[in-house]
């Protein structure tokens, strides 16, 4: 069998190792050797010379949405269109992700969708959140994508059929998070007033009525709400009382059940010994800390620990409490890096500077997610951590946290799956080539 050889500067993904001049040898789908730079020895060998570039493991994104054809989001909403799913997959692959865990949670493993969309070089897997309260919360918040087979599904059945983790436990739709800001609240307000509002204003309304933890703490008075409506030119359209009612009726119905869903999934994680991804935000933080104490053998991952409902100090305090209790701290790019339509990088910066981050993913952010490598590039440029440690957040660290998903990859080492990307040395976010399972699938930034 011919060998594919990649020569260049290498970051292996273990958090430490940088090799200035190395050769990676690939045969079939596997890495067969990593050596100091060597000339090709055989006639048939193919060589990719990555001089001037940097060679990294393919990114493992363990918290994403919108890449499958089953019910979408923890709200069990209708699937995205096949065009949109195809666009999401291509964007992930072109930005250097070779393995992806779609954590919508209520789809079945058959709905990864290779049949409908054809095979894709991005290796896509699903998680399962099929517990009674999670399903009920989805039904209340939306549930339009759920059929009898989803409602009857169980965690054991889904794991037996190939789901790689539990979760996402809770979500922005069911727990008053981002999806309420960009989708549900603007829709509800437009229905009554005819005025379309920006998600940032929807978030202000939500937090003014319910507080950042949805518990009514520090909620605004009627006068303050009138002032807020006035400032956003809605004073002629809504009274304080109407605004209060719209927010409560839109956000709160699934919250109680979704919180029970968190507890069910922590218990299941301890029972079956699989990793579980939790929606970590201001309303759920205290519950997740408590669950980590109640279920010390659960393998808990606190998703998007930089969630915008946290103040920066709160994100740090929560992550510290969780880390002390053995929880893995995941952060998501959301739209914090380049897009910044709704969210900024403050919480991510604080967590990075404090050294609290274990893993890095994209989440969805209404489709506005920025790439993993753009966040890694930012961490390196701002000297928040050395390049090998930043790269490991979406490589070796994910393999360690969820070996069921990525134990055979995420590192450029002998006997690992040959998922390798070649990026510009001065900006890792510019991905030139992608090799997935030993095959060159993106060449000069085009899918081939
Ligand atoms: Zn979430």
């Amino acid at each position: 069998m011919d060998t594919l050889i990649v020569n260049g500067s290498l970051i292996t993904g273990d958090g430490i190792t940088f090799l200035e001049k190395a050769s990676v040898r690939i045969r079939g789908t596997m890495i067969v050797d990593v050596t100091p730079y060597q000339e090709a020895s055989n006639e048939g060998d193919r060589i990719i010379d990555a001089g001037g570039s940097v060679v990294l493991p393919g990114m493992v994104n363990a918290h994403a949405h919108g890449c499958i054809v089953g019910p979408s989001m923890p709200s069990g909403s209708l699937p995205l269109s096949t065009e949109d799913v195809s666009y999401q997959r291509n964007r992930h692959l072109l930005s250097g992700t070779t393995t992806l865990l779609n954590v919508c949670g209520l789809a079945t493993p058959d709905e990864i969708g290779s049949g409908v969309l054809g095979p894709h070089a991005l290796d896509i897997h699903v998680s399962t959140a099929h517990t009674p309260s999670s399903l009920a919360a989805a039904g209340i918040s939306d549930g339009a994508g759920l059929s009898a087979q989803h409602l009857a599904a169980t965690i054991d059945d889904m794991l037996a059929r190939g789901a790689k983790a539990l979760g996402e436990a809770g979500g922005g739709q069911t727990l008053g998070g981002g999806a309420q800001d960009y989708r549900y609240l603007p829709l509800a307000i437009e229905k009554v007033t005819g005025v379309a509002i920006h998600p940032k204003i929807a978030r202000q309304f939500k937090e003014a009525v319910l507080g950042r933890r949805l518990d009514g703490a520090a909620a605004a008075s009627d006068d303050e709400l009138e002032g807020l409506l006035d400032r956003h030119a809605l004073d002629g359209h809504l009274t304080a009382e109407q605004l209060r009612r719209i927010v409560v009726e839109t956000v709160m119905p699934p919250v109680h059940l979704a919180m029970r869903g968190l507890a069910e999934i922590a218990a299941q994680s301890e029972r079956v010994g699989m990793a579980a991804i939790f929606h970590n935000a201001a309303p759920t933080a205290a519950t997740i800390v408590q669950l980590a104490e109640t279920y010390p053998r659960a393998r808990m991952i606190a998703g998007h620990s930089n969630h915008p409902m946290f103040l920066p100090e709160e994100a740090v305090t929560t992550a510290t409490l969780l880390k002390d209790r053995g929880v893995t701290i995941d952060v998501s790019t959301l739209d914090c890096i380049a897009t910044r339509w709704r969210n900024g990088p403050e919480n991510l910066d604080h967590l990075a500077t404090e050294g609290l981050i274990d893993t890095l993913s994209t989440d969805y952010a209404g489709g506005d997610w920025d790439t993993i490598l753009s966040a890694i590039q930012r961490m390196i440029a701002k000297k928040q951590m050395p390049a090998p440690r930043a790269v490991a957040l979406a490589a070796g660290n994910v393999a360690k946290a969820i070996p069921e998903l990525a134990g055979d990859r995420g590192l450029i080492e002998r006997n690992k799956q040959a998922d390798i990307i070649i990026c510009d040395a001065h900006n890792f976010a510019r991905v030139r080539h992608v090799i997935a399972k030993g095959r060159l699938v993106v060449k000069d930034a085009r899918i081939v």
Side-chain angles (χ1 to χ4, degrees):
M1 195 189 293
D2 289 347
T3 305
L4 171 62
I5 302 173
V6 181
N7 293 325
S9 304
L10 192 71
I11 293 178
T12 62
D14 65 359
I16 303 161
T17 310
F18 172 78
L19 303 168
E20 180 81 47
K21 273 188 151 185
S23 296
V24 185
R25 285 163 191 271
I26 298 166
R27 224 169 280 152
T29 61
M30 303 295 284
I31 296 168
V32 292
D33 213 353
V34 181
T35 62
Y37 173 72
Q38 286 177 352
E39 299 276 347
S41 45
N42 294 318
E43 274 296 294
D45 291 349
R46 289 181 302 141
I47 297 169
I48 296 177
D49 187 359
S53 304
V54 62
V55 181
L56 311 176
M59 297 288 103
V60 183
N61 183 355
H63 189 134
H65 299 273
C67 290
I68 53 161
V69 298
S72 76
M73 305 297 158
S75 50
S77 304
L78 287 172
L80 267 57
S81 70
T82 49
E83 289 80 7
D84 284 347
V85 171
S86 173
Y87 171 52
Q88 295 295 333
R89 293 174 174 195
N90 291 347
R91 268 177 71 200
H92 282 291
L93 185 68
L94 287 164
S95 61
T97 293
T98 47
T99 301
L100 180 142
L101 185 65
N102 192 100
V103 300
C104 291
L106 299 177
T108 66
D110 334 315
E111 290 170 316
I112 292 170
S114 55
V116 185
L117 287 157
H120 200 281
L122 177 64
D123 191 15
I124 302 166
H125 297 272
V126 293
S127 58
T128 165
H130 297 88
T131 69
S133 299
S134 306
L135 283 160
I140 287 180
S141 66
D142 185 336
L146 299 174
S147 67
Q149 63 146 344
H150 304 115
L151 295 170
T154 63
I155 281 186
D156 291 298
D157 185 27
M158 294 297 107
L159 291 175
R161 285 162 63 185
K164 301 291 183 193
L166 311 188
E168 180 179 0
Q173 302 76 16
T174 58
L175 284 161
Q180 288 291 348
D181 304 342
Y182 67 72
R183 185 164 174 207
Y184 293 93
L185 273 174
L187 275 176
I189 289 171
E190 189 172 359
K191 211 171 124 189
V192 176
T193 62
V195 180
I197 60 165
H198 191 282
K200 281 185 178 171
I201 299 172
R203 185 188 295 159
Q204 279 183 33
F205 288 162
K206 177 187 76 185
E207 293 183 357
V209 171
L210 298 168
R212 278 182 307 103
R213 287 182 287 275
L214 308 181
D215 58 0
S221 67
D222 276 5
D223 278 356
E224 288 166 327
L225 288 185
E226 300 281 5
L228 204 53
L229 286 166
D230 195 33
R231 202 166 334 134
H232 299 302
L234 280 164
D235 47 327
H237 297 273
L238 282 179
T239 63
E241 200 199 315
Q242 283 173 313
L243 176 63
R244 207 181 284 284
R245 199 170 59 232
I246 291 173
V247 170
V248 170
E249 286 176 0
T250 306
V251 174
M252 292 310 289
V255 167
H256 179 66
L257 282 164
M259 294 294 264
R260 281 208 340 226
L262 301 183
E264 289 170 357
I265 285 176
Q268 292 289 328
S269 172
E270 183 160 284
R271 183 180 68 83
V272 298
M274 294 289 281
I277 295 140
F278 290 80
H279 175 90
N280 183 26
T284 55
T287 303
I288 297 174
V289 170
Q290 203 185 9
L291 289 171
E293 289 172 357
T294 312
Y295 300 102
R297 287 185 308 283
R299 288 170 51 198
M300 295 174 63
I301 298 173
H304 47 62
S305 295
N306 56 319
H307 194 276
M309 285 175 92
F310 286 125
L311 301 175
E313 317 77 80
E314 249 175 4
V316 167
T317 315
T318 302
T320 307
L321 288 170
L322 289 170
K323 219 176 162 76
D324 287 349
R325 286 156 180 77
V327 176
T328 298
I329 306 301
D330 186 55
V331 291
S332 294
T333 57
L334 304 169
D335 63 343
C336 297
I337 312 296
T339 308
R340 298 200 196 173
W341 190 54
R342 289 184 293 129
N343 303 308
E346 299 76 20
N347 292 0
L348 191 60
D349 286 345
H350 273 74
L351 291 166
T353 309
E354 296 292 327
L356 288 163
I357 304 174
D358 295 311
T359 59
L360 170 65
S361 59
T362 58
D363 200 0
Y364 191 61
D368 283 318
W369 54 270
D370 291 321
T371 67
I372 284 178
L373 284 162
S374 67
I376 287 175
Q377 177 61 30
R378 180 185 166 84
M379 290 169 182
I380 298 168
K382 293 183 82 70
K383 299 194 171 14
Q384 292 170 339
M385 62 187 84
R389 252 184 69 204
V391 167
L393 299 178
N397 289 12
V398 186
K400 238 181 270 169
I402 320 180
E404 295 84 356
L405 173 72
D408 60 348
R409 63 195 76 178
L411 294 172
I412 303 182
E413 266 176 15
R414 185 196 300 237
N415 293 332
K416 294 291 179 184
Q417 184 166 294
D419 295 342
I420 289 175
I421 59 178
I422 295 153
C423 307
D424 284 5
H426 302 156
N427 184 351
F428 289 15
R430 287 200 297 260
V431 179
R432 182 159 185 165
H433 306 307
V434 177
I435 296 165
K437 291 186 182 151
R439 206 163 60 79
L440 186 66
V441 294
V442 172
K443 183 172 189 290
D444 294 323
R446 274 177 62 175
I447 295 179
V448 290

